[in-house]
């Protein structure tokens, strides 16, 4: 167990020990995998010994939240600042795992492990978040949608460390909601919608879907489809033989998320969930009554 | 944590149920193994070993953790509380008494974890709503009672311990 005092030292320890070393934050994933013998390391680099990495700051001038790598789910859940400015995050964080995992597990550890059944990886996409990464060769900034490549795979190079997640606040007119669904400890589906209405119709829309497929995604096609439509257009029934807006957007979202068969359910079941939850979450975001549950024609 | 380093040990000092303990441990030792095998405190149970069931719940500086997947190393310098440290001499902790009064256990396997989780809830929120109790306790699984009596016990303890404040 190494106890670095600076990020540079942590990164250099990782470089020195290569594949035999791993960063260790809360350990809620790492220790599980090591106990199961799935991962083996001779060296753990405890990032919690670097002072300041547990900082959770709100930058007033930029309107951004900065989440350090030692910030736990529980800290985010209980932070009054997060509750006031990012209510969606505080609510979603209170529903991650159980209180013991939230006490110890970090948001950055969640992102870096890239277990597909993850909430933050999905809801942070709604905010156009960015991550800062530091390696031996210096630091770089990556848009969050480029971080996760697939199950347990991120674009971080060996020896690189995620040093911060930056989350820009929504504009004042943005209405957003996130819901998760599942019967297991981890989510089967996580879906978030953020919309801005202008004179009753959608002027900006963001849709993020997580957990059902190999990685969380935004769905630009469906976001575009919502533009210019009223809440009634979106939640209303189909006109004529065409699919309703919601069914069509749901189909796009399901396609983009690439649902996989796994212990949480079959791919076509998850496709169905995506369509249903898109309606529910949109309705919650705009404060409308939930859409009548219609199946696609 | 690879096999060639299994002989390594690190010295740690911690407080367990108010008693100072100093010992050498392998860095990969879990806190549950430390408590059960080195200190013979068998109250915290191992069941799922996956941070799911809560049978191993103990408090580290007041914070509920799954001892099964938490390094003993992390408890260096900390105060650990297990079920063995809840009673004050022969006087049961109010939460223990509430579990008895409400018949909130059958086999008792989940009970130490339940009581510690419930204590951490009331330390944080002395008068929780029933909804809050259910939410907070969601990660502690009981295969016998059906939970209703557990929730009632916690609300009962909250009424007594947090009474004056609430
Ligand atoms: C029972 C259970 C239920 C769960 N339920 C949910 C759920 O409902 N929703 C959900 O979203 N998640 C859930 N999770 C996942 C949970 O959120 C993660 O386990 C936790 O956030 C991981 O953080 P950690 O600090 O413990 O990571 P660690 O285990 O310490 O690290 C995980 C991995 O990330 C790497 N890493 C950590 N920090 C960094 C960094 N800063 N830079 C680079 N690499 C890093 C480590 O090297 C390691 O490979 C659940 C987990 C468990 C065990
Ligand atoms: S044994 Fe630790 S949570 Fe189940
Ligand atoms: S009393 Fe038997 S598991 Fe809870």
């Amino acid at each position: 167990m190494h106890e670095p005092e600076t990020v540079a030292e942590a990164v250099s320890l990782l470089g020195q020990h290569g594949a035999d070393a791993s960063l260790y934050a809360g350990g809620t994933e790492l220790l599980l995998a090591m106990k199961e013998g799935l991962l083996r390391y001779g060296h753990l680099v405890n990032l919690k010994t670097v002072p300041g990495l547990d900082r959770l700051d709100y930058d007033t001038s930029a309107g951004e939240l900065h989440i350090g790598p030692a910030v736990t789910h529980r800290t985010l859940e209980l932070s009054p600042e997060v509750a006031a400015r990012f209510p969606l995050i505080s609510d979603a964080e209170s529903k991650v795992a159980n209180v013991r995992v939230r006490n110890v597990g970090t948001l950055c550890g969640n992102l870096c492990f890239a277990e597909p059944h993850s909430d933050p990886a999905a809801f942070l996409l709604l905010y156009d978040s960015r991550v800062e990464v530091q390696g031996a060769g210096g630091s770089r900034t990556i848009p969050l949608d480029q971080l996760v490549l697939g199950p347990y795979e991120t674009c971080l190079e060996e020896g690189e460390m995620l040093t911060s997640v930056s989350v820009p606040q929504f504009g004042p007119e943005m209405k957003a909601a996130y819901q998760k669904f599942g019967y297991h400890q981890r989510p089967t589906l996580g879906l978030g919608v953020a919309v801005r209405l202008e004179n009753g119709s959608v002027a900006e829309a963001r849709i993020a879907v997580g957990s059902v497929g190999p990685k969380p995604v935004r769905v630009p096609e469906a976001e575009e489809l919502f533009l210019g439509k009223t809440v009634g257009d979106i939640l209303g029934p189909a006109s004529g033989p065409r699919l309703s807006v919601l069914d069509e957007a749901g189909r796009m979202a399901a396609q983009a998320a690439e649902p996989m068969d796994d212990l949480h359910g079959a791919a076509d079941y998850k496709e169905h969930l995506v369509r249903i939850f898109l309606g529910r979450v949109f309705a919650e975001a705009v404060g409308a009554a939930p859409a009548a549950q219609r199946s696609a024609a | 944590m690879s096999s060639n380093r299994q002989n390594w040990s690190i010295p740690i000092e911690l407080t367990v149920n108010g008693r100072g303990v100093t010992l050498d441990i392998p860095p990969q030792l879990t806190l549950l193994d430390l408590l059960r095998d080195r200190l013979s405190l068998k109250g915290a149970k191992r069941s799922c070993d996956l941070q799911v069931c809560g049978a191993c719940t103990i408090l580290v500086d007041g914070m509920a953790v799954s001892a099964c997947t938490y390094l003993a190393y992390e408890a260096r310098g900390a105060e650990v509380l297990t079920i063995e440290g809840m009673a004050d001499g022969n006087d049961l902790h109010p939460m223990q008494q509430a579990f008895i009064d409400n018949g909130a256990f059958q086999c008792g396997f989940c009970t130490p974890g339940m009581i510690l989780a419930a204590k951490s809830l009331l330390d944080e929120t002395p008068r929780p709503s029933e909804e809050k109790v259910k939410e907070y306790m969601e990660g502690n699984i009981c295969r016998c009672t059906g939970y209703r009596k557990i929730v009632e016990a916690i609300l009962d303890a909250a009424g007594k311990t947090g009474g004056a404040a609430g």
Side-chain angles (χ1 to χ4, degrees):
Chain A
M1 183 67 72
H2 298 274
E3 301 184 336
E5 282 170 13
T6 62
V7 168
E9 195 186 333
V11 167
S12 114
L13 282 162
L14 292 175
Q16 207 173 315
H17 299 289
D20 198 27
S22 173
L23 279 170
Y24 162 72
T28 58
E29 297 287 18
L30 189 63
L31 298 176
L32 267 190
M34 290 181 79
K35 281 200 305 189
E36 296 292 319
L38 298 171
L39 293 175
R40 260 173 186 281
Y41 297 106
H43 300 266
L44 293 187
V45 179
N46 185 2
L47 60 79
K48 301 190 296 303
T49 57
V50 179
L53 295 192
D54 59 352
R55 286 234 321 251
L56 174 63
D57 291 329
Y58 178 72
D59 175 346
T60 320
S61 58
E64 285 186 354
L65 187 68
H66 298 289
I67 306 171
V71 172
T72 62
H73 294 296
R74 191 87 172 127
T75 302
L76 285 158
E77 172 190 353
L78 298 179
S79 153
E81 185 95 76
V82 175
R85 300 177 193 271
F86 300 84
L88 185 151
I89 296 184
S90 130
D91 182 57
E93 281 291 319
S94 76
K95 293 176 184 138
V96 166
N98 56 50
V99 69
R100 303 183 306 280
V101 171
R102 293 202 297 280
N103 275 336
V104 178
T106 62
L107 180 126
C108 292
N110 175 301
L111 295 179
C112 292
F113 197 62
E115 142 72 43
H117 304 97
S118 158
D119 294 301
F123 66 69
L124 289 178
L125 283 181
L126 288 179
Y127 292 87
D128 293 331
S129 310
R130 311 179 309 277
V131 299
E132 311 285 332
V133 169
Q134 191 160 329
S139 60
R140 58 190 177 120
T141 304
I142 309 169
L144 182 68
D145 62 357
Q146 288 171 25
L147 175 71
V148 179
L149 301 178
Y152 311 105
E153 201 189 343
T154 66
C155 70
L156 297 193
E157 311 276 345
E158 195 177 286
E160 275 188 330
M161 170 172 168
L162 199 161
T163 52
S164 162
V165 180
S166 304
V167 190
Q169 202 174 350
F170 288 142
E173 307 292 310
M174 200 74 133
K175 299 170 186 301
Y178 174 84
Q179 290 183 19
K180 68 195 281 188
F181 174 80
Y183 290 108
H184 298 272
Q185 278 278 317
R186 295 170 196 246
T188 299
L189 161 89
L191 194 147
V193 173
V195 288
R196 184 166 57 79
L197 298 172
E198 243 176 52
N199 304 323
S201 52
V202 175
E204 187 181 352
R206 301 178 187 179
I207 299 172
V209 186
S211 294
V212 292
K215 62 172 191 175
V217 292
R218 279 278 292 269
V219 193
E221 314 84 276
E223 294 173 358
E224 215 160 289
L225 187 69
F226 276 9
L227 292 184
K229 307 269 191 318
T230 66
V231 172
D233 294 339
I234 292 173
L235 293 179
S239 56
R242 296 192 21 242
L243 286 179
S244 71
V245 176
L246 198 55
D247 280 335
E248 197 175 339
R251 202 162 66 173
M252 289 167 170
Q255 203 164 19
E258 300 179 39
M260 301 184 295
D261 293 324
D262 64 12
L263 290 174
H264 290 251
D268 56 355
Y269 164 65
K270 295 184 188 176
E271 263 169 43
H272 177 72
L273 284 181
V274 170
R275 297 226 290 260
I276 299 299
F277 274 83
L278 181 61
R280 286 189 192 171
V281 178
F282 176 79
E284 187 194 325
V286 299
Q293 308 272 303
R294 286 162 289 100
S295 61
Chain B
M1 292 198 181
S2 66
S3 48
N4 60 340
R5 287 186 182 76
Q6 220 115 76
N7 304 329
W8 278 24
S9 66
I10 48 177
I12 63 163
E13 270 178 49
L14 67 164
T15 307
V16 179
N17 298 332
R19 193 167 57 92
V21 183
T22 305
L23 69 184
D24 287 330
I25 55 158
Q28 72 272 25
L29 186 75
T30 65
L31 188 50
L32 187 59
D33 287 334
L34 172 82
L35 294 169
R36 291 182 60 88
D37 300 345
R38 302 278 292 266
L39 303 178
S40 292
L41 295 170
K42 308 279 186 182
K45 307 287 186 252
R46 184 189 316 277
S47 181
C48 69
D49 217 8
L50 297 170
Q51 307 166 85
V52 171
C53 74
C56 66
T57 307
I58 52 126
L59 307 191
V60 176
D61 286 338
M63 176 178 88
V65 306
S66 301
C68 69
T69 315
Y70 189 79
L71 293 179
Y73 152 87
E74 290 289 5
R76 62 201 188 286
E79 296 220 11
V80 173
L81 180 67
T82 74
I83 192 70
E84 290 88 347
M86 287 282 283
D88 181 4
N90 284 332
D91 295 332
L92 291 181
H93 186 277
M95 186 65 74
Q96 292 174 303
Q97 193 59 51
F99 268 62
I100 295 174
D101 295 345
N102 289 275
F105 52 88
Q106 291 175 26
C107 79
F109 195 82
C110 69
T111 313
M114 286 286 177
I115 288 180
L116 285 153
K119 177 180 190 307
S120 70
L121 166 63
L122 296 199
D123 288 347
E124 200 178 288
T125 313
R127 301 298 297 268
S129 64
E130 183 174 340
E131 201 49 39
K132 173 85 187 167
V133 172
K134 287 182 180 166
E135 252 175 51
Y136 192 93
M137 299 299 293
E138 189 189 54
N140 285 73
I141 294 173
C142 174
R143 282 286 139 110
C144 301
T145 64
Y147 301 104
R148 223 188 68 201
K149 287 170 186 294
I150 294 176
V151 173
E152 284 167 6
I154 298 169
L155 291 170
D156 184 13
K160 284 175 186 156
T161 59

